[in-house]
Amino acid sequence: HTAYRRQRQMCIRDRLTGMTIDHFVQMDFEGFIGMVDAMGGIDVCLPEPLQDGHARLDLPAGAQSINGDQALALARTRHALAEESDIARLGHQQMVLSAIVQKATKSDVLVRPDRLYAFLDAVTSSMTVDPGLGALTDLAGLAARVANVPLSSVTFVTMPTTEAPEDPNRVVPTADADVIFRALIDDVPIVLTTDEVQPLSLIHISEPTRQEA
């Protein structure tokens, strides 16, 4: 059933985006917590305190380091947000992912083989991957390629949507979504030509400052 559900999700994604995904990595909640903890936590900065009993979230405002459980709670929370919707929490999910990328780079997890293999060994038990990434060496190779991407070139984008005509509780992609998917297929920068709907949520990652020993 799990394999069928994954295949169905991939077919829906292909029809929606027009893209073919060659590889995938799926991680459960325990794996996510273990990944963040294996990195020694991540750094975030919240503009206001957030509390959500449903997600077991209780974080103060300001800059702080959070562990795996707190990072998962921050990514999952809806009730701490005014809209309490899945779309509204995308901003926090992107914040957490941005912090993970920055921490992995600053701590040299991706470029030092000893740290990389220790990191992968800590999280692979909670991961599901396609056959092309089935070996630890395959994942290490992927991490090495990611390490060569400048952080200034990493941007998180939320697919532009608008209210579905037949159901106000659903959303559908806008024309700008097609622009994004076409740019990804062609491997070119994303340039939007309209601003008729809510603008994209963009999180740009700046290069970390490395401290000399």
Side-chain angles (χ1 to χ4, degrees):
H1 294 295
T2 300
Y4 171 78
R5 183 168 60 251
R6 186 180 300 117
Q7 183 64 36
R8 186 170 182 271
Q9 290 171 343
M10 294 174 69
C11 289
I12 293 173
R13 178 212 58 219
D14 291 346
R15 289 201 302 269
L16 175 65
T17 66
M19 300 171 58
T20 299
I21 306 299
D22 298 312
H23 302 287
F24 73 87
V25 177
Q26 177 180 310
M27 181 176 291
D28 62 24
F29 287 163
E30 289 301 319
F32 180 86
I33 293 171
M35 176 182 65
V36 174
D37 287 341
M39 300 171 68
I42 57 175
D43 299 322
V44 298
C45 186
L46 301 178
E48 59 185 7
L50 293 175
Q51 288 86 33
D52 181 355
H54 296 274
R56 298 181 180 178
L57 175 69
D58 186 4
L59 295 175
Q64 57 200 289
S65 179
I66 60 177
N67 61 28
D69 286 305
Q70 293 169 317
L72 178 63
L74 179 58
R76 295 186 65 199
T77 183
R78 287 189 302 173
H79 297 285
L81 307 173
E83 293 184 27
E84 296 192 5
S85 68
D86 288 329
I87 294 177
R89 64 180 172 182
L90 286 175
H92 285 157
Q93 292 172 350
Q94 292 173 342
M95 177 194 300
V96 170
L97 289 174
S98 172
I100 289 173
V101 172
Q102 294 187 65
K103 184 60 176 288
T105 303
K106 287 191 292 185
S107 59
D108 290 333
V109 169
L110 298 181
V111 295
R112 283 187 47 174
D114 57 335
R115 293 186 179 180
L116 175 59
Y117 277 90
F119 171 74
L120 291 174
D121 187 57
V123 301
T124 48
S125 61
S126 300
M127 292 170 53
T128 301
V129 299
D130 67 274
L133 294 175
L136 202 61
T137 52
D138 297 324
L139 290 172
L142 174 62
R145 292 194 295 274
V146 171
N148 290 324
V149 178
L151 288 182
S152 57
S153 299
V154 179
T155 303
F156 294 97
V157 183
T158 301
M159 184 182 73
T161 59
T162 189
E163 183 180 292
E166 70 281 3
D167 185 353
N169 296 312
R170 294 179 57 248
V171 295
V172 293
T174 68
D176 277 339
D178 294 332
V179 174
I180 291 175
F181 297 138
R182 186 72 257 171
L184 292 174
I185 292 171
D186 295 339
D187 195 21
V188 297
I190 298 171
V191 179
L192 299 180
T193 57
T194 65
D195 57 0
E196 297 176 355
V197 297
Q198 185 174 349
L200 291 174
S201 171
L202 300 175
I203 296 182
H204 298 276
I205 301 181
S206 59
E207 296 285 354
T209 300
R210 296 185 181 273
Q211 301 295 326
E212 298 296 334

